[in-house]
Amino acid sequence: MRAIVVRRHGGPEVLEPTELPDPAPGPGQALVRAAVNGVHLVEATVRRGGDGVPPHLRPTLPYVPGREVAGEVVAVGEGVDAGLVGRQVVANTSAAGGGGGYAELAAVPLELLHLVPDGLGLEAAVALLGTGRMAIRVADVARIGRDDAVLVLAAAGGIGAMLVGHARLAGARLVVGAAGGPEKTALVRALGADLAVDYAVAGWDEEVREAAGPDGVTVVVDGVGGDAGQRALALLGRGGRQVVVGWAAGTPTTASAGELAARGVALLPVVGGAGPPSAEDQRAWSARALAEGAAGRLVAHVGRRFALDDAAGAHRALEARATTGKTVLLP
């Protein structure tokens, strides 16, 4: 099979297209022929190596990166129903950075595999498996309703794009998406935002403040942190909540307990809180995301597609912030 192998840490050039022996499914496993492979920015962090990578995300060299595949089951191992052969599935190949996902074939334990719901494409399924799972978690914490004025940071990214659509479908009175550059703000408008602002342009936060009105923003989805996250926090009106899902700018949004209490606002971490969720919770969130996607209530936007052999190009684009929505590889 064709696969991408990392033999040393470094830049995108260390992602080497390689021929490897076809894997065989072991007991309790299904062999999936991938039609789509998902790509995450964290996989670029793992590829670079260094002390910034948590121990559980440090695979032993050499390794095949990636953790998401969607395709057809072509064989099953001992103890697995043979009726699964021929079914379309999407799978998390591993919770770690070296999960074997950048490959034409992946042997996957049944507990990490989901049947793709009828009417849902494989690209969307890959996007919903992990990115959609996080969007579901954020939506549960944010509790967006009809009276809310919602600001989504990184609104052209995988999670942000889904949550712009979620806020729109939830009937929020105002949906604002913030992104970097005219191409990304155009996408945010196309996703259904009432207002799209470019946080590379000075004064974007004042534009949001004026649109939100005297009650201010009530919900912020914050996947950026840094200056943008702090400016968004300042936009919250009393009773507002900022849901922290990441810090692409390098530092998470912070505030003292006293400041939050005085303003009557909440800073709610979805990432970086009380530790990683259980495998059971993650599976349940993924199942919900796939079901919501099939029902049209959670929409996945696939922005860029790369050939499997050009995984390096996908990583370059992600690291340059030159992508929107979900980025995938096509074997």
Side-chain angles (χ1 to χ4, degrees), residues 9-60:
H9 295 303
E13 70 279 358
V14 305
L15 295 163
E16 300 178 18
T18 307
E19 289 291 334
L20 295 179
D22 290 355
Q29 292 184 332
L31 184 64
V32 180
R33 183 175 298 282
V36 186
N37 315 86
V39 183
H40 281 268
L41 185 58
V42 68
E43 291 154 8
T45 304
V46 172
R47 183 209 73 226
R48 291 192 298 269
D51 295 336
V53 179
H56 71 284
L57 289 180
R58 294 179 191 168
T60 301

Side-chain angles (χ1 to χ4, degrees), residues 179 181-191 196:
E183 179 183 353
K184 292 184 178 181
T185 53
L187 171 63
V188 171
R189 284 190 290 271
L191 291 170

Side-chain angles (χ1 to χ4, degrees), residues 44-278:
T45 304
V46 172
R47 183 209 73 226
R48 291 192 298 269
D51 295 336
V53 179
H56 71 284
L57 289 180
R58 294 179 191 168
T60 301
L61 294 167
Y63 71 93
V64 175
R67 52 184 172 167
E68 296 169 344
V69 298
E72 180 182 338
V73 175
V74 293
V76 295
E78 181 182 350
V80 180
D81 183 357
L84 194 59
V85 174
R87 301 293 299 274
Q88 289 197 329
V89 297
V90 60
N92 182 348
T93 59
S94 172
Y102 292 7
E104 292 178 323
L105 293 166
V108 182
L110 282 186
E111 63 268 20
L112 298 180
L113 182 147
H114 298 262
L115 293 175
V116 176
D118 290 342
L120 189 66
L122 293 179
E123 289 187 354
V126 157
L128 290 160
L129 181 72
T131 305
R133 177 177 69 217
M134 181 60 75
I136 286 288
R137 291 174 62 189
V138 174
D140 285 351
V141 174
R143 306 183 317 279
I144 296 170
R146 300 184 66 83
D147 294 330
D148 283 314
V150 181
L151 169 61
V152 180
L153 302 183
I159 295 170
M162 288 187 191
L163 286 165
V164 167
H166 168 75
R168 184 78 288 150
L169 290 171
R173 66 176 175 86
L174 177 70
V175 180
V176 180
E183 179 183 353
K184 292 184 178 181
T185 53
L187 171 63
V188 171
R189 284 190 290 271
L191 291 170
D194 298 301
L195 174 66
V197 295
D198 185 344
Y199 44 38
V201 177
W204 68 268
D205 49 333
E206 291 305 319
E207 190 176 355
V208 177
R209 190 187 304 277
E210 182 177 349
D215 293 333
V217 172
T218 60
V219 177
V220 173
V221 176
D222 179 9
V224 176
D227 179 71
Q230 299 298 151
R231 288 179 181 275
L233 182 63
L235 295 171
L236 282 178
R238 182 161 292 275
R241 51 219 181 265
Q242 184 150 334
V243 183
V244 177
V245 68
W247 38 91
T251 56
T253 302
T254 59
S256 70
E259 176 190 348
L260 295 173
R263 293 181 51 205
V265 300
L267 198 56
L268 306 172
V270 172
V271 172
S278 69

